Structures are given as structure tokens and as C-alpha cells.
Amino acid sequence: MKSRFIYLFLGFTIGLCLFFCNPSDLRNSGDTRSEASLERLLWQEFIRPLAVCDTTQFEYEPAYRSVTVREALTPIQIIQTRDKSIYVFGISTFKPEKNLDADAFIGTEDSTTSRNAALFKFTANGALEWTRTIGLANTAGNAIGLIESDSGVYLTFSASSSVGSPLNNFISGFTNVAVFHMAKDGSILWNTYFGSNTGNNKAYSIAKLSNGDLVVGGETNSNGFSSFTGSVIKLSSTIPENASFVMRLKPTGTGTWVHFFAGSTSTQIRTVEKVSVSSTDTIYTYGFEREPLDVGYNQVVQNHTGTTPRKEFLIAQFDSDGKYLRHTFLLSGSSQASPILPIPKESEIANEMIFAGVTSAQFVGLDSVRVRNYQGSYDQFVIKLNSTLNASYVTYLGGPGADQGSIYKIFQDSRKDGYFVFSPFLFDPGYDTSFPGRAGYPTLGLIRLDSTGNLLEYGFKAETEFNVPLTYTDTCDGGSLIGYYVGDAIDFSIAKYAKFRLSKTRPQIPIYRTYQDPFGQYPGK
């Protein structure tokens, strides 16, 4: 009887695997699942993911409706932590349910002047544990940062009001850089502000060094911070107005150093929209600049022509002590729009970084490393730069239509040293004739590239409404967790209705990675 049960179980499991492990909508020229033994296949596809992480699919929709404002909830950053909890950080114009501090919401609900920074915590199966609003936020695109800590999460944003008992006091009348350390139960472990009484200061992104110190990036319109405990680094004689910054903080919130840098005439615009730290603690900043940097920043691979104040992508390198190393522009000859930029991802080689986004024109000077040709205006791109910021490859992923859907996420595929990118497509990218979407409506795409930029496989999810993703992460069981809004227009500010949601679904195509659990590490395919 016992052996019969074992055979029945194996037969049932194999049947399930044959049903689920071969999705009919997968366009695949590089799948290697056939190389796996039956035992390995069963373990990787079923038993181990179920043991490691909750595979529940769910959708969360806030229990309130916006009547006049389309920003009832704007989820901007999502992470899943090692204990499988899900944190969503964004902007809310309503008092969220389960708010730990019922009086913390500032302003009148459903008002453009009441954009509160709000942190939501969910279980792995989508149950809302708690929310917390932590003051007014001066929103700017996706200018919010969220990363895991040993005790909870660190977050940063541009604050217009003060909360709690900060280490550095908030300077009233101006926007301040806010950095918070939040515990798993939603309490504030510490928070601090960096501001000035002469202008605004904004934060866009946060990362961690190997020793646990924090790196925050943003910009100042005020000649620097009024109060900073660490060293101030600049290569020009003064800190100009409209400068960008990258700064290092200890895990306790005190400053170690801040480096201010800018163009020669201080016309910067979001030069540090994203920060990322490599395995060797090299700091990378990613954003936009209208002109060449100041003359002291002279280790440059490709420089801005400077003939017109044209906004181009800028990537810069700093060491962990704040020393400037080098920078490069991704030149296009056309002023870029302001797409949401994904956090840069280190490849399997130390200090070899992958950047992505959407460009309004083909990049200049990179023809020799181009993999897929530029297809048309507003084309999604992926570019890999080596440790000296020279391009190893650039590939364009869009089609001939004016596709303004940016790439939201880059993550590694442990199977082939390749990479996945997640992006909405408004138009058929032209991979083959089976694109399921409607022109002008966002169609969610998950694209797998190998380590040299060649397209391996892809999957799409067609939408019947304007389902516009705002943020994305992959979960520990291989699912797709998307923060988005549903409306009747791609621009929710003009939509007649806009419903914001958080949704976890099966991935568009199989994702293989190394899973980590308390009982040890099991390699993915």
C-alpha cells in the first residue's frame, strides 16, 4: 500500500509538472529544462519552491476611491525581504487602512496638497499587516527609495513635513531629504532630515555598502545642506545651486560624507535618479544631465557636446570614500524624456554593470557593440558597461512604434548568466507575429537576454484596459509582483477613473534563480 501511494504521488506530480512547466505562450530558443533529471525537475519546479516561499497569487486594491485626484495610492517601490514579507512604499492621498498612527495622515483626503509618504507591509500571501504614513512628500516621478535592513527597512524620499524625533531637524519652508529606518512592526527606529533654509533638497534613491552603511542620492537647489556631521566633498570651489549629490550614512543615521557635483553652469536635472553599489563597494549613479560636468570631473569616456542644453543619460562612478572616479554620457543627439529608470544591476563580473531605460534616439558611438538595431523613437534599451564605463554591448528591445514604456526592473537569471528585464510595451516590438496586445495599450513583457545581450525568450500579458505598471519585483517563488493602476487613459492625471492595485501573479515566462532558505542554498537551473 505504501509503495502504491508513492507511485500515485509521483504520477500526480509528474502530471502537474507536464501541465504547468510547458507554457504554450513561451517563445523560447534557450530553455535548458530538458537537461534536468526527473528528480531535479520535481524538486526545483514543485517541492522546493512550495517549501521555501508562499506561492499564493493575490490582488490588493485600496478600500477607498479617488473622486477628484488620481493619486489615491501610487506604489513606487516594492521589495520582498528575507522573511518573505512584502513592503510597498509610495504616495497616498487617503488615510490608508490599518494605519498604525491614525493621526499621522496630514491634510485633507483626496487633495493634491495631501501627498503623504506611506509604507505598506503585506505577508507573502498578500494579507495587509499594517500601514504607516510618515509625513508629506514632495513627489517627483519615482523619487523614492526602499531597501531591506536586518531590523526592517530603510527608506528615503523628499519630505515637506517632519515626523517623530529626528536626528537632524527638519528645516521648515523647504523640501528636505528624509531617511528613515523602520522596524518590522512599523515603528520608527530613527529618522533624519537634510535640508537648507535657502532652497529645496530632494532624495531619489538608496542603496547599501557591504558593511551596512547607506548610500543616498539626490539633488540640491540650495548650495548644500545646512547641517551635516561628516565631510563635504566637491571638486569646484563652491557648491553651486542645482547640484546633485551622493552621500554615505552610517546604519545609525549619522553622516560620513556627502559629495556634491554639477555641470559647469549648474543646469542639472535629476543627475542622480538611481544609486547602486557593486560587490566591490564601487558606487554608481544613474540619471540625466543637460551639459558637461564641471572641469574637475575630467575622467570621462563620452562627454556631453555642450552645444545645447540637451538632456542626456549620465552614469558616474565613486569609491566608498566619496572620491570621484569617472563618468560617461550615453549620447543620443536628442533631448531625452524622463522615463522611470531601473536600479542598475551588477553582472556576474565585478563592476560590470547593466543599465536600462527608454531612449528617444539611437545612441551615438556604440555601433560596434550594438546587438539588436534601434527600431524607432522611444525604444527600450539595455546596455552593459565594464569597470571603466566602456560599453560591452547595447541592445534595443522596442519596435517601430513610439513606445514610451520604460524598463522597470533588471534581475539576474542564474541559469545562463543572463538577465531578465520587465517592461510594458505600447506597440508590437516586432519579435515575431504573435504579439497579443493592442497598439497604444500597455502590454506587460518579460524579456530574457543572455550575458552578451542576445534575446533568448520572452512572454507577454495582454491587457484590456490601461493597466499601467509603476513598479515591479520578482518574488521568492518566481512570481511577478506589480504595483500599477487601471484606468481609461494611460495618463492617470486625466483619466476619468483610476484604480491603484498591487497584484502578484505567475510570471509571464519561467524564472530560474538560486533560492535561499534557512536549511541551505539550492542552485537554480
Side-chain angles (χ1 to χ4, degrees):
M1 178 65 70
K2 182 177 180 181
S3 60
R4 178 179 294 180
F5 172 79
I6 292 174
Y7 283 121
L8 286 172
F9 172 77
L10 285 175
F12 175 72
T13 309
I14 291 170
L16 283 175
C17 194
L18 290 173
F19 181 79
F20 283 111
C21 297
N22 184 30
S24 60
D25 61 345
L26 176 65
R27 287 26 170 187
N28 179 356
S29 60
D31 192 11
T32 59
R33 285 173 293 168
S34 59
E35 300 170 7
S37 66
L38 175 62
E39 179 183 5
R40 183 177 178 183
L41 184 64
L42 292 174
W43 175 248
Q44 289 187 336
E45 298 291 344
F46 286 90
I47 303 171
R48 177 165 50 85
L50 287 171
V52 171
C53 181
D54 194 298
T55 59
T56 305
Q57 300 179 51
F58 64 83
E59 181 163 277
Y60 168 74
E61 182 176 348
Y64 44 74
R65 293 288 183 274
S66 175
V67 178
T68 60
V69 182
R70 303 308 177 194
E71 297 182 4
L73 171 66
T74 307
I76 301 178
Q77 291 286 328
I78 305 174
I79 62 170
Q80 185 172 44
T81 52
R82 285 165 290 181
D83 66 359
K84 313 303 184 290
S85 297
I86 295 166
Y87 291 86
V88 181
F89 187 35
I91 307 299
S92 180
T93 54
F94 278 73
K95 297 176 182 178
E97 56 269 43
K98 294 190 177 182
N99 196 347
L100 294 176
D101 187 351
D103 298 325
F105 183 88
I106 299 175
T108 303
E109 289 187 289
D110 202 17
S111 170
T112 56
T113 61
S114 301
R115 297 186 180 101
N116 281 240
L119 181 64
F120 289 61
K121 184 182 180 183
F122 297 85
T123 64
N125 64 7
L128 180 64
E129 286 193 25
W130 52 258
T131 66
R132 181 144 193 178
T133 50
I134 50 175
L136 292 174
N138 185 329
T139 57
N142 65 333
I144 270 180
L146 173 66
I147 56 173
E148 183 177 5
S149 76
D150 291 336
S151 306
V153 293
Y154 296 108
L155 50 88
T156 190
F157 64 102
S158 303
S160 300
S161 69
S162 181
V163 170
S165 303
L167 304 175
N168 254 7
N169 288 329
F170 181 89
I171 296 180
S172 300
F174 297 94
T175 300
N176 288 218
V177 171
V179 185
F180 280 66
H181 190 190
M182 305 291 293
K184 295 178 182 179
D185 64 1
S187 59
I188 299 174
L189 297 174
W190 58 257
N191 67 312
T192 190
Y193 298 98
F194 300 97
S196 169
N197 54 16
T198 62
N200 294 325
N201 293 270
K202 298 179 181 180
Y204 292 151
S205 187
I206 190 169
K208 271 198 306 187
L209 294 162
S210 59
N211 71 344
D213 281 11
L214 305 176
V215 178
V216 178
E219 69 182 30
T220 177
N221 304 117
S222 64
N223 302 109
F225 305 141
S226 296
S227 176
F228 188 78
T229 56
S231 60
V232 177
I233 305 170
K234 56 187 185 301
L235 297 187
S236 54
S237 57
T238 61
I239 301 171
E241 290 187 5
N242 303 321
S244 293
F245 71 82
V246 58
M247 70 174 169
R248 178 174 176 174
L249 304 177
K250 296 178 181 179
T252 55
T254 57
T256 301
W257 53 258
V258 59
H259 190 136
F260 293 97
F261 62 104
S264 55
T265 61
S266 301
T267 62
Q268 124 302 322
I269 178 168
R270 301 188 71 167
T271 304
V272 185
E273 181 170 320
K274 288 290 181 287
V275 293
S276 184
V277 176
S278 76
S279 58
T280 62
D281 280 343
T282 302
I283 298 168
Y284 290 80
T285 66
Y286 184 33
F288 306 95
E289 177 61 79
R290 295 184 186 274
E291 61 180 3
L293 293 184
D294 191 87
V295 293
Y297 300 87
N298 53 18
Q299 301 301 310
V300 57
V301 179
Q302 276 193 313
N303 208 357
H304 197 292
T305 60
T307 53
T308 58
R310 186 176 60 246
K311 186 167 62 172
E312 300 275 21
F313 290 102
L314 171 66
I315 298 165
Q317 244 183 17
F318 301 83
D319 70 13
S320 58
D321 294 322
K323 178 185 176 183
Y324 159 77
L325 299 176
R326 60 184 61 85
H327 72 280
T328 191
F329 285 89
L330 303 181
L331 300 177
S332 65
S334 173
S335 188
Q336 297 287 355
S338 297
I340 291 176
L341 298 180
I343 297 172
K345 174 73 177 179
E346 187 175 32
S347 78
E348 68 279 6
I349 300 174
N351 287 324
E352 187 176 77
M353 302 293 291
I354 299 172
F355 301 83
V358 60
T359 177
S360 58
Q362 178 173 303
F363 294 127
V364 177
L366 301 179
D367 289 354
S368 62
V369 296
R370 186 176 65 243
V371 178
R372 186 174 186 260
N373 290 334
Y374 182 78
Q375 303 295 311
S377 60
Y378 297 104
D379 203 346
Q380 292 95 335
F381 72 90
V382 179
I383 186 169
K384 180 191 282 188
L385 302 183
N386 63 20
S387 60
T388 58
L389 299 186
N390 286 284
S392 301
Y393 73 75
V394 62
T395 188
Y396 301 96
L397 300 179
D403 207 325
Q404 298 185 43
S406 184
I407 290 173
Y408 286 82
K409 180 79 172 183
I410 311 166
F411 52 98
Q412 192 163 10
D413 171 22
S414 62
R415 185 171 41 158
K416 285 182 172 293
D417 293 327
Y419 306 91
F420 285 99
V421 295
F422 172 80
S423 176
F425 290 83
L426 297 180
F427 299 93
D428 185 353
Y431 300 155
D432 59 24
T433 59
S434 60
F435 183 72
R438 289 190 294 164
Y441 282 75
T443 297
L444 306 183
L446 195 60
I447 315 299
R448 187 164 77 91
L449 308 172
D450 68 13
S451 58
T452 60
N454 290 292
L455 189 150
L456 291 179
E457 58 188 6
Y458 52 92
F460 295 104
K461 181 177 181 291
E463 304 292 348
T464 58
E465 296 179 281
F466 286 99
N467 286 7
V468 181
L470 301 170
T471 185
Y472 171 93
T473 194
D474 55 310
T475 56
C476 54
D477 62 349
S480 299
L481 189 58
I482 306 169
Y484 68 104
Y485 94 88
V486 179
D488 61 347
I490 194 167
D491 181 355
F492 66 80
S493 66
I494 62 172
K496 293 179 181 177
Y497 72 93
K499 297 180 289 186
F500 291 85
R501 293 175 180 171
L502 176 70
S503 178
K504 183 195 169 196
T505 63
R506 293 173 61 89
Q508 283 85 356
I509 59 177
I511 300 173
Y512 299 82
R513 65 176 58 76
T514 296
Y515 288 88
Q516 182 76 43
D517 72 17
F519 303 101
Q521 189 169 352
Y522 303 93
K525 295 182 182 179

